[in-house]
Amino acid sequence: MTQEGGELDSLVRKRIRALRVAQGWSLEELATRAHLSQSSLSRIENGQRRLALDQLVTLARALDTTLDQLVETAADDVVTSPTIDNARRQMRWTVKADPGMSVVRQRMTEPPPENPARMRAHPGREWLVVLSGTAILMLGHRRFRLETNQAAEFPTMMPHAIGAGGGPCEILGIFDRDARRGHQRDGDGGDGGGG
């Protein structure tokens, strides 16, 4: 086995044990869930038994994970640089593990629109946290005041808008695939309409 293969083998064994311990399961409990003998599982964790693909699949299911996650190695491209949209005062990062997700940092200076016709509604979910200042989230007919370090999560099918409350604010938002598409379609390039 190559050195790289030996490192992966050791990593997988450590993950199996760590996931088992994190669940609070004994060797016997995981062995029962994975339809293995307790001694076989012990030898797998300790490196005294060869890792077989069929056993890894069974162990991944029993540990409520996937085979891909169980054997995943560290990527060389760990660091991500943002794309910058100066017109919208945004920095955007794509989540590599799920390219449908993105993280956006945005500075806002204008309050959200009071006119419900200017609010957006589209499929998806959003989560945001206020990094500095005060943000106002308009959600349907409700108005929420979010102070620094407060967060909000909501379905984006509800008409919504976000803006500054009484001075500039910065938010960090996480958009799922549908929410991101909704904002790319109806982005107005202005301040205070996004959310």
Side-chain angles (χ1 to χ4, degrees), residues 125-130 135-137 139 144-147 149-155 162 172-174:
R125 288 195 69 79
E126 289 185 30
W127 178 91
L128 63 94
V129 64
V130 179
I136 304 297
L137 171 64
L139 195 56
F144 298 92
R145 183 178 180 89
L146 301 168
E147 301 293 341
N149 296 325
Q150 286 187 311
E153 181 177 355
F154 56 94
I162 190 163
L172 187 70
I174 300 176

PDB file of all heavy atoms in Angstrom, residues 125-130 135-137 139 144-147 149-155 162 172-174:
ATOM      1  N   ARG A 125     -34.518  29.321   1.179  1.00  0.00           N
ATOM      2  CA  ARG A 125     -34.386  29.730   2.583  1.00  0.00           C
ATOM      3  C   ARG A 125     -33.164  30.618   2.689  1.00  0.00           C
ATOM      4  O   ARG A 125     -32.206  30.454   1.940  1.00  0.00           O
ATOM      5  CB  ARG A 125     -34.204  28.522   3.505  1.00  0.00           C
ATOM      6  CG  ARG A 125     -35.453  27.706   3.682  1.00  0.00           C
ATOM      7  CD  ARG A 125     -35.360  26.748   4.848  1.00  0.00           C
ATOM      8  NE  ARG A 125     -35.351  27.391   6.156  1.00  0.00           N
ATOM      9  CZ  ARG A 125     -36.444  27.864   6.782  1.00  0.00           C
ATOM     10  NH1 ARG A 125     -37.607  27.788   6.208  1.00  0.00           N
ATOM     11  NH2 ARG A 125     -36.346  28.396   7.978  1.00  0.00           N
ATOM     12  N   GLU A 126     -33.213  31.547   3.632  1.00  0.00           N
ATOM     13  CA  GLU A 126     -32.067  32.398   3.922  1.00  0.00           C
ATOM     14  C   GLU A 126     -31.806  32.391   5.414  1.00  0.00           C
ATOM     15  O   GLU A 126     -32.721  32.240   6.218  1.00  0.00           O
ATOM     16  CB  GLU A 126     -32.319  33.848   3.486  1.00  0.00           C
ATOM     17  CG  GLU A 126     -32.324  34.030   1.996  1.00  0.00           C
ATOM     18  CD  GLU A 126     -32.454  35.482   1.569  1.00  0.00           C
ATOM     19  OE1 GLU A 126     -31.987  36.384   2.304  1.00  0.00           O
ATOM     20  OE2 GLU A 126     -33.013  35.714   0.497  1.00  0.00           O
ATOM     21  N   TRP A 127     -30.536  32.555   5.750  1.00  0.00           N
ATOM     22  CA  TRP A 127     -30.103  32.742   7.122  1.00  0.00           C
ATOM     23  C   TRP A 127     -29.160  33.925   7.092  1.00  0.00           C
ATOM     24  O   TRP A 127     -28.321  34.043   6.196  1.00  0.00           O
ATOM     25  CB  TRP A 127     -29.370  31.499   7.619  1.00  0.00           C
ATOM     26  CG  TRP A 127     -28.850  31.626   9.020  1.00  0.00           C
ATOM     27  CD1 TRP A 127     -29.493  31.279  10.161  1.00  0.00           C
ATOM     28  CD2 TRP A 127     -27.582  32.149   9.418  1.00  0.00           C
ATOM     29  NE1 TRP A 127     -28.705  31.547  11.255  1.00  0.00           N
ATOM     30  CE2 TRP A 127     -27.516  32.090  10.829  1.00  0.00           C
ATOM     31  CE3 TRP A 127     -26.490  32.675   8.738  1.00  0.00           C
ATOM     32  CZ2 TRP A 127     -26.428  32.519  11.554  1.00  0.00           C
ATOM     33  CZ3 TRP A 127     -25.389  33.103   9.464  1.00  0.00           C
ATOM     34  CH2 TRP A 127     -25.365  33.019  10.858  1.00  0.00           C
ATOM     35  N   LEU A 128     -29.298  34.845   8.044  1.00  0.00           N
ATOM     36  CA  LEU A 128     -28.403  35.988   8.076  1.00  0.00           C
ATOM     37  C   LEU A 128     -28.073  36.350   9.517  1.00  0.00           C
ATOM     38  O   LEU A 128     -28.845  36.071  10.430  1.00  0.00           O
ATOM     39  CB  LEU A 128     -28.989  37.181   7.332  1.00  0.00           C
ATOM     40  CG  LEU A 128     -30.283  37.788   7.884  1.00  0.00           C
ATOM     41  CD1 LEU A 128     -29.987  38.942   8.827  1.00  0.00           C
ATOM     42  CD2 LEU A 128     -31.139  38.272   6.725  1.00  0.00           C
ATOM     43  N   VAL A 129     -26.914  36.987   9.690  1.00  0.00           N
ATOM     44  CA  VAL A 129     -26.497  37.509  10.985  1.00  0.00           C
ATOM     45  C   VAL A 129     -26.005  38.931  10.763  1.00  0.00           C
ATOM     46  O   VAL A 129     -25.390  39.233   9.741  1.00  0.00           O
ATOM     47  CB  VAL A 129     -25.411  36.622  11.651  1.00  0.00           C
ATOM     48  CG1 VAL A 129     -24.127  36.601  10.843  1.00  0.00           C
ATOM     49  CG2 VAL A 129     -25.138  37.061  13.086  1.00  0.00           C
ATOM     50  N   VAL A 130     -26.316  39.811  11.711  1.00  0.00           N
ATOM     51  CA  VAL A 130     -25.872  41.195  11.621  1.00  0.00           C
ATOM     52  C   VAL A 130     -24.469  41.272  12.221  1.00  0.00           C
ATOM     53  O   VAL A 130     -24.263  40.943  13.385  1.00  0.00           O
ATOM     54  CB  VAL A 130     -26.849  42.138  12.362  1.00  0.00           C
ATOM     55  CG1 VAL A 130     -26.356  43.580  12.283  1.00  0.00           C
ATOM     56  CG2 VAL A 130     -28.254  42.018  11.782  1.00  0.00           C
ATOM     57  N   ALA A 135     -29.999  46.102  11.562  1.00  0.00           N
ATOM     58  CA  ALA A 135     -30.686  45.808  10.301  1.00  0.00           C
ATOM     59  C   ALA A 135     -32.180  45.709  10.576  1.00  0.00           C
ATOM     60  O   ALA A 135     -32.602  45.323  11.666  1.00  0.00           O
ATOM     61  CB  ALA A 135     -30.164  44.507   9.705  1.00  0.00           C
ATOM     62  N   ILE A 136     -32.957  46.059   9.570  1.00  0.00           N
ATOM     63  CA  ILE A 136     -34.412  45.916   9.635  1.00  0.00           C
ATOM     64  C   ILE A 136     -34.804  44.873   8.601  1.00  0.00           C
ATOM     65  O   ILE A 136     -34.488  45.014   7.414  1.00  0.00           O
ATOM     66  CB  ILE A 136     -35.141  47.252   9.342  1.00  0.00           C
ATOM     67  CG1 ILE A 136     -34.673  48.353  10.296  1.00  0.00           C
ATOM     68  CG2 ILE A 136     -36.652  47.048   9.388  1.00  0.00           C
ATOM     69  CD1 ILE A 136     -34.984  48.096  11.755  1.00  0.00           C
ATOM     70  N   LEU A 137     -35.476  43.825   9.056  1.00  0.00           N
ATOM     71  CA  LEU A 137     -35.970  42.767   8.166  1.00  0.00           C
ATOM     72  C   LEU A 137     -37.470  42.928   8.045  1.00  0.00           C
ATOM     73  O   LEU A 137     -38.196  42.893   9.038  1.00  0.00           O
ATOM     74  CB  LEU A 137     -35.637  41.385   8.739  1.00  0.00           C
ATOM     75  CG  LEU A 137     -36.275  40.181   8.038  1.00  0.00           C
ATOM     76  CD1 LEU A 137     -35.783  40.058   6.593  1.00  0.00           C
ATOM     77  CD2 LEU A 137     -35.978  38.901   8.816  1.00  0.00           C
ATOM     78  N   LEU A 139     -40.653  41.165   6.705  1.00  0.00           N
ATOM     79  CA  LEU A 139     -41.039  39.799   6.360  1.00  0.00           C
ATOM     80  C   LEU A 139     -42.555  39.763   6.330  1.00  0.00           C
ATOM     81  O   LEU A 139     -43.214  39.761   7.372  1.00  0.00           O
ATOM     82  CB  LEU A 139     -40.468  38.831   7.398  1.00  0.00           C
ATOM     83  CG  LEU A 139     -40.449  37.355   7.062  1.00  0.00           C
ATOM     84  CD1 LEU A 139     -39.708  37.072   5.768  1.00  0.00           C
ATOM     85  CD2 LEU A 139     -39.820  36.566   8.199  1.00  0.00           C
ATOM     86  N   PHE A 144     -38.886  43.299  11.715  1.00  0.00           N
ATOM     87  CA  PHE A 144     -37.994  42.809  12.765  1.00  0.00           C
ATOM     88  C   PHE A 144     -36.756  43.691  12.825  1.00  0.00           C
ATOM     89  O   PHE A 144     -36.147  43.991  11.801  1.00  0.00           O
ATOM     90  CB  PHE A 144     -37.561  41.365  12.487  1.00  0.00           C
ATOM     91  CG  PHE A 144     -38.696  40.388  12.471  1.00  0.00           C
ATOM     92  CD1 PHE A 144     -39.348  40.070  11.284  1.00  0.00           C
ATOM     93  CD2 PHE A 144     -39.120  39.790  13.644  1.00  0.00           C
ATOM     94  CE1 PHE A 144     -40.396  39.169  11.270  1.00  0.00           C
ATOM     95  CE2 PHE A 144     -40.171  38.882  13.645  1.00  0.00           C
ATOM     96  CZ  PHE A 144     -40.811  38.576  12.448  1.00  0.00           C
ATOM     97  N   ARG A 145     -36.384  44.072  14.019  1.00  0.00           N
ATOM     98  CA  ARG A 145     -35.165  44.858  14.246  1.00  0.00           C
ATOM     99  C   ARG A 145     -34.090  43.882  14.721  1.00  0.00           C
ATOM    100  O   ARG A 145     -34.262  43.211  15.743  1.00  0.00           O
ATOM    101  CB  ARG A 145     -35.438  45.925  15.294  1.00  0.00           C
ATOM    102  CG  ARG A 145     -34.287  46.842  15.552  1.00  0.00           C
ATOM    103  CD  ARG A 145     -34.713  47.894  16.600  1.00  0.00           C
ATOM    104  NE  ARG A 145     -33.627  48.790  16.880  1.00  0.00           N
ATOM    105  CZ  ARG A 145     -33.381  49.910  16.213  1.00  0.00           C
ATOM    106  NH1 ARG A 145     -34.196  50.266  15.222  1.00  0.00           N
ATOM    107  NH2 ARG A 145     -32.355  50.673  16.531  1.00  0.00           N
ATOM    108  N   LEU A 146     -33.007  43.791  13.987  1.00  0.00           N
ATOM    109  CA  LEU A 146     -31.912  42.871  14.304  1.00  0.00           C
ATOM    110  C   LEU A 146     -30.680  43.675  14.692  1.00  0.00           C
ATOM    111  O   LEU A 146     -30.151  44.434  13.888  1.00  0.00           O
ATOM    112  CB  LEU A 146     -31.585  41.974  13.106  1.00  0.00           C
ATOM    113  CG  LEU A 146     -32.721  41.107  12.572  1.00  0.00           C
ATOM    114  CD1 LEU A 146     -32.350  40.500  11.238  1.00  0.00           C
ATOM    115  CD2 LEU A 146     -33.040  40.035  13.577  1.00  0.00           C
ATOM    116  N   GLU A 147     -30.228  43.482  15.915  1.00  0.00           N
ATOM    117  CA  GLU A 147     -29.043  44.177  16.405  1.00  0.00           C
ATOM    118  C   GLU A 147     -27.801  43.338  16.093  1.00  0.00           C
ATOM    119  O   GLU A 147     -27.903  42.170  15.716  1.00  0.00           O
ATOM    120  CB  GLU A 147     -29.159  44.405  17.915  1.00  0.00           C
ATOM    121  CG  GLU A 147     -30.380  45.211  18.337  1.00  0.00           C
ATOM    122  CD  GLU A 147     -30.367  46.655  17.876  1.00  0.00           C
ATOM    123  OE1 GLU A 147     -29.283  47.188  17.537  1.00  0.00           O
ATOM    124  OE2 GLU A 147     -31.453  47.272  17.837  1.00  0.00           O
ATOM    125  N   ASN A 149     -24.961  40.853  16.039  1.00  0.00           N
ATOM    126  CA  ASN A 149     -24.860  39.456  16.483  1.00  0.00           C
ATOM    127  C   ASN A 149     -26.196  38.729  16.554  1.00  0.00           C
ATOM    128  O   ASN A 149     -26.223  37.548  16.887  1.00  0.00           O
ATOM    129  CB  ASN A 149     -24.122  39.313  17.821  1.00  0.00           C
ATOM    130  CG  ASN A 149     -22.686  39.762  17.722  1.00  0.00           C
ATOM    131  OD1 ASN A 149     -22.049  39.581  16.689  1.00  0.00           O
ATOM    132  ND2 ASN A 149     -22.176  40.375  18.766  1.00  0.00           N
ATOM    133  N   GLN A 150     -27.295  39.364  16.224  1.00  0.00           N
ATOM    134  CA  GLN A 150     -28.565  38.644  16.149  1.00  0.00           C
ATOM    135  C   GLN A 150     -28.704  38.066  14.747  1.00  0.00           C
ATOM    136  O   GLN A 150     -28.216  38.620  13.767  1.00  0.00           O
ATOM    137  CB  GLN A 150     -29.749  39.553  16.471  1.00  0.00           C
ATOM    138  CG  GLN A 150     -29.858  39.885  17.934  1.00  0.00           C
ATOM    139  CD  GLN A 150     -31.137  40.636  18.242  1.00  0.00           C
ATOM    140  OE1 GLN A 150     -31.474  41.613  17.578  1.00  0.00           O
ATOM    141  NE2 GLN A 150     -31.836  40.171  19.257  1.00  0.00           N
ATOM    142  N   ALA A 151     -29.398  36.935  14.672  1.00  0.00           N
ATOM    143  CA  ALA A 151     -29.561  36.240  13.391  1.00  0.00           C
ATOM    144  C   ALA A 151     -31.040  36.024  13.105  1.00  0.00           C
ATOM    145  O   ALA A 151     -31.876  36.075  14.009  1.00  0.00           O
ATOM    146  CB  ALA A 151     -28.831  34.896  13.434  1.00  0.00           C
ATOM    147  N   ALA A 152     -31.342  35.771  11.852  1.00  0.00           N
ATOM    148  CA  ALA A 152     -32.706  35.456  11.429  1.00  0.00           C
ATOM    149  C   ALA A 152     -32.634  34.375  10.364  1.00  0.00           C
ATOM    150  O   ALA A 152     -31.675  34.301   9.592  1.00  0.00           O
ATOM    151  CB  ALA A 152     -33.399  36.699  10.870  1.00  0.00           C
ATOM    152  N   GLU A 153     -33.647  33.533  10.329  1.00  0.00           N
ATOM    153  CA  GLU A 153     -33.764  32.492   9.309  1.00  0.00           C
ATOM    154  C   GLU A 153     -35.213  32.455   8.881  1.00  0.00           C
ATOM    155  O   GLU A 153     -36.112  32.494   9.716  1.00  0.00           O
ATOM    156  CB  GLU A 153     -33.350  31.140   9.879  1.00  0.00           C
ATOM    157  CG  GLU A 153     -33.421  30.028   8.865  1.00  0.00           C
ATOM    158  CD  GLU A 153     -32.933  28.700   9.412  1.00  0.00           C
ATOM    159  OE1 GLU A 153     -32.446  28.655  10.555  1.00  0.00           O
ATOM    160  OE2 GLU A 153     -33.060  27.702   8.677  1.00  0.00           O
ATOM    161  N   PHE A 154     -35.445  32.392   7.560  1.00  0.00           N
ATOM    162  CA  PHE A 154     -36.822  32.450   7.077  1.00  0.00           C
ATOM    163  C   PHE A 154     -36.950  31.841   5.685  1.00  0.00           C
ATOM    164  O   PHE A 154     -35.981  31.797   4.932  1.00  0.00           O
ATOM    165  CB  PHE A 154     -37.324  33.908   7.064  1.00  0.00           C
ATOM    166  CG  PHE A 154     -36.463  34.850   6.261  1.00  0.00           C
ATOM    167  CD1 PHE A 154     -36.750  35.130   4.942  1.00  0.00           C
ATOM    168  CD2 PHE A 154     -35.357  35.460   6.842  1.00  0.00           C
ATOM    169  CE1 PHE A 154     -35.966  35.995   4.203  1.00  0.00           C
ATOM    170  CE2 PHE A 154     -34.557  36.336   6.121  1.00  0.00           C
ATOM    171  CZ  PHE A 154     -34.862  36.607   4.786  1.00  0.00           C
ATOM    172  N   PRO A 155     -38.171  31.371   5.360  1.00  0.00           N
ATOM    173  CA  PRO A 155     -38.422  30.887   4.003  1.00  0.00           C
ATOM    174  C   PRO A 155     -38.597  32.097   3.081  1.00  0.00           C
ATOM    175  O   PRO A 155     -39.291  33.053   3.435  1.00  0.00           O
ATOM    176  CB  PRO A 155     -39.720  30.095   4.140  1.00  0.00           C
ATOM    177  CG  PRO A 155     -40.409  30.708   5.315  1.00  0.00           C
ATOM    178  CD  PRO A 155     -39.323  31.202   6.233  1.00  0.00           C
ATOM    179  N   ILE A 162     -34.551  43.606   3.333  1.00  0.00           N
ATOM    180  CA  ILE A 162     -33.704  43.945   4.479  1.00  0.00           C
ATOM    181  C   ILE A 162     -32.949  45.218   4.161  1.00  0.00           C
ATOM    182  O   ILE A 162     -32.616  45.487   3.002  1.00  0.00           O
ATOM    183  CB  ILE A 162     -32.748  42.790   4.846  1.00  0.00           C
ATOM    184  CG1 ILE A 162     -32.066  43.079   6.165  1.00  0.00           C
ATOM    185  CG2 ILE A 162     -31.766  42.509   3.749  1.00  0.00           C
ATOM    186  CD1 ILE A 162     -31.433  41.868   6.819  1.00  0.00           C
ATOM    187  N   LEU A 172     -24.118  39.159   7.169  1.00  0.00           N
ATOM    188  CA  LEU A 172     -23.556  37.975   6.539  1.00  0.00           C
ATOM    189  C   LEU A 172     -24.728  37.027   6.345  1.00  0.00           C
ATOM    190  O   LEU A 172     -25.410  36.687   7.315  1.00  0.00           O
ATOM    191  CB  LEU A 172     -22.490  37.341   7.429  1.00  0.00           C
ATOM    192  CG  LEU A 172     -21.708  36.180   6.824  1.00  0.00           C
ATOM    193  CD1 LEU A 172     -20.786  36.698   5.721  1.00  0.00           C
ATOM    194  CD2 LEU A 172     -20.892  35.483   7.891  1.00  0.00           C
ATOM    195  N   GLY A 173     -24.993  36.647   5.097  1.00  0.00           N
ATOM    196  CA  GLY A 173     -26.131  35.786   4.807  1.00  0.00           C
ATOM    197  C   GLY A 173     -25.708  34.497   4.145  1.00  0.00           C
ATOM    198  O   GLY A 173     -24.712  34.456   3.421  1.00  0.00           O
ATOM    199  N   ILE A 174     -26.466  33.451   4.411  1.00  0.00           N
ATOM    200  CA  ILE A 174     -26.253  32.167   3.752  1.00  0.00           C
ATOM    201  C   ILE A 174     -27.507  31.863   2.954  1.00  0.00           C
ATOM    202  O   ILE A 174     -28.618  31.869   3.493  1.00  0.00           O
ATOM    203  CB  ILE A 174     -25.977  31.043   4.769  1.00  0.00           C
ATOM    204  CG1 ILE A 174     -24.718  31.358   5.584  1.00  0.00           C
ATOM    205  CG2 ILE A 174     -25.825  29.691   4.047  1.00  0.00           C
ATOM    206  CD1 ILE A 174     -24.418  30.366   6.684  1.00  0.00           C
TER     207      ILE A 174
END
